[in-house]
Amino acid sequence: MLNLIWLFLILTGIGVAAWNGRIDLVTETFFSGANEGVAVCLDLIGLMALWLGMLEIAKQAGLIRILARIIRPLTGILFPGVPPNHPALGAIIMNVSANILGLGNAATPFGLKAMEELQKLNSEPDTATDAMCTFLAANTSCITLVPATIVGVRVAAGSVNPTEIVGPTLFATGFSMLVVLLTDYCWRNFFRVWYRRVKR
Amino acid sequence: MIEQILNEVSRWAIPFLFVVFLVMGWCRRVPVYEAFIQGAAEGFQIAVRIIPYLVAMFVAIKVFRVSGAMEILARICAPVLGIIGAPAEVLPLAVMRPLSGSSALGLATELIKTHGPDTFIGRLASVMQGTTDTTFFVLTVYFGSVGIKRYRHAVGLGLLADITGLLASLFICHLLF
């Protein structure tokens, strides 16, 4: 799947550039794209260290355990495969909280940490578990309470009411999160069972 | 009013988190400095592990965009998105949003500036930018960081999130603005 998408992106990119007579752009773009990839990662090193350091303090202080206990009814439904006190849940909670507050650069460190912890529960290391799929679904569709970046852009563009989009954003993210998590839940619990039975 | 509250929330969120973590740690007699170092030490390895995935994605997405293939794709998708009530101007944003966060933000900023933040297009672009996430980036980087090769239904769920996010943004913007 990913192999095909990647191949498609690169080959059509090269093809269109050649068609437009701007093949020189391709070489340039390859090199600058590769550098940008590493630059993003270098930026991430400091943030990862900072947030994972804070997370460790919160973990040792028992804060994560308290949070995990509060939302256990929910995590029990969404992540049945993860034991109630597993450190993965702490990282997932922090990732989702950061997403809700629009703290994009804090969300990625917690998200990567969550994946690492979820991988420890995985019996087939090269295949995604149900919990991973649910987590990624929650992460990409996550409710946004404070779309800080875009409000900043609107302020800069001289909007009369820069925050009028907060309500609509909350609605749209809330709706898509609900749809995605419900789909995931139904897929895990009903459809897949039915699908297997049909295949047999 | 709402603007002020949100501004304050985003200004205070991180300092507040740090104070809560540190004071809680101190009260529970956690060796805060040592704990921080212990946690931070992992940060480097995780960040370095995702370099190959980031390079692969950035190269592919950038060549796709710079060559003009992105525009062609947006033009092909235009009739479909036109049916559901999306103005042609926001199409590149809808296509770019799942692929690259910084490019999408650039496109949204451009739309808001050229059409004005208080027009329908300006508002729709703002909501779209806040609604969907860089699904593709998240999938490859998150799975890449732990060496997952088979993504299973995560791809479908990610795409579903983008499509419902787009539809919900369109719906609410048509309703309100």
Side-chain angles (χ1 to χ4, degrees):
Chain A
M1 174 81 171
L2 198 67
N3 283 317
L4 281 180
I5 296 175
W6 195 67
L7 203 65
F8 169 79
L9 287 174
I10 292 190
L11 289 184
T12 37
I14 295 175
V16 173
W19 176 262
N20 290 339
R22 297 165 76 190
I23 195 75
D24 50 310
L25 269 182
V26 172
T27 318
E28 202 182 296
T29 309
F30 277 167
F31 295 152
S32 64
N35 276 333
E36 272 171 42
V38 177
V40 166
C41 168
L42 289 181
D43 283 343
L44 203 59
I45 292 177
L47 286 172
M48 289 288 301
L50 178 68
W51 284 111
L52 292 187
M54 294 311 289
L55 186 66
E56 186 62 33
I57 294 176
K59 207 167 82 186
Q60 292 193 12
L63 196 65
I64 301 295
R65 212 174 329 125
I66 297 170
L67 274 177
R69 201 173 301 151
I70 295 171
I71 62 156
R72 189 179 296 168
L74 198 62
T75 50
I77 297 168
L78 292 175
F79 303 103
V82 182
N85 279 325
H86 198 268
L89 291 177
I92 291 173
I93 293 168
M94 293 309 294
N95 171 270
V96 171
S97 314
N99 269 323
I100 291 174
L101 292 174
L103 308 172
N105 54 16
T108 309
F110 292 133
L112 292 173
K113 178 74 185 164
M115 289 304 284
E116 198 185 60
E117 294 294 340
L118 288 174
Q119 181 70 346
K120 288 179 190 162
L121 295 168
N122 192 354
S123 52
E124 291 172 81
D126 69 334
T127 306
T129 59
D130 278 354
M132 288 176 179
C133 294
T134 309
F135 171 55
L136 281 180
N139 180 62
T140 51
S141 66
C142 193
I143 286 192
T144 308
L145 189 65
V146 189
T149 320
I150 203 72
V151 170
V153 170
R154 292 171 61 79
V155 171
S159 170
V160 186
N161 189 358
T163 49
E164 68 181 346
I165 52 104
V166 171
T169 307
L170 192 61
F171 167 83
T173 49
F175 179 75
S176 77
M177 192 174 195
L178 195 69
V179 168
V180 169
L181 289 182
L182 268 177
T183 309
D184 175 57
Y185 183 81
C186 293
W187 171 253
R188 272 187 286 127
N189 291 291
F190 311 121
F191 296 138
R192 198 161 49 194
V193 181
W194 169 79
Y195 180 69
R196 279 200 194 125
R197 212 172 289 156
V198 169
K199 240 173 44 176
R200 260 180 237 147
Chain B
M1 182 60 186
I2 308 170
E3 184 185 347
Q4 273 171 343
I5 294 172
L6 286 177
N7 270 339
E8 293 304 308
V9 169
S10 55
R11 270 180 55 204
W12 282 88
I14 289 176
F16 175 77
L17 270 182
F18 273 61
V19 170
V20 169
F21 284 13
L22 291 173
V23 171
M24 269 288 280
W26 185 63
C27 289
R28 296 283 183 99
R29 296 174 196 283
V30 173
V32 280
Y33 179 73
E34 275 99 356
F36 181 88
I37 300 295
Q38 190 192 331
E42 289 173 60
F44 184 75
Q45 288 124 23
I46 297 183
V48 169
R49 223 182 297 151
I50 61 173
I51 288 185
Y53 303 93
L54 283 172
V55 168
M57 283 335 281
F58 269 66
V59 166
I61 289 166
K62 205 172 179 195
V63 79
F64 191 70
R65 183 169 49 92
V66 170
S67 66
M70 174 74 71
E71 261 172 67
I72 296 174
L73 181 67
R75 225 172 290 154
I76 295 170
C77 297
V80 184
L81 288 164
I83 297 169
I84 55 171
E89 287 88 344
V90 301
L91 295 179
L93 179 61
V95 177
M96 185 55 99
R97 193 67 188 96
L99 294 175
S100 158
S102 52
S103 314
L105 184 62
L107 283 175
T109 308
E110 183 111 348
L111 280 172
I112 291 168
K113 273 194 189 134
T114 41
H115 295 274
D118 302 315
T119 58
F120 182 74
I121 289 174
R123 286 161 171 158
L124 180 62
S126 309
V127 176
M128 278 168 61
Q129 176 69 22
T131 299
T132 46
D133 204 337
T134 47
T135 308
F136 220 60
F137 174 85
V138 171
L139 278 178
T140 49
V141 170
Y142 279 29
F143 278 143
S145 74
V146 289
I148 298 281
K149 291 192 187 76
R150 293 176 54 217
Y151 295 5
R152 295 181 52 224
H153 51 286
V155 182
L157 289 171
L159 284 175
L160 182 71
D162 288 329
I163 293 167
T164 47
L166 175 65
L167 289 177
S169 312
L170 271 170
F171 170 77
I172 194 78
C173 284
H174 273 297
L175 197 73
L176 295 179
F177 303 128

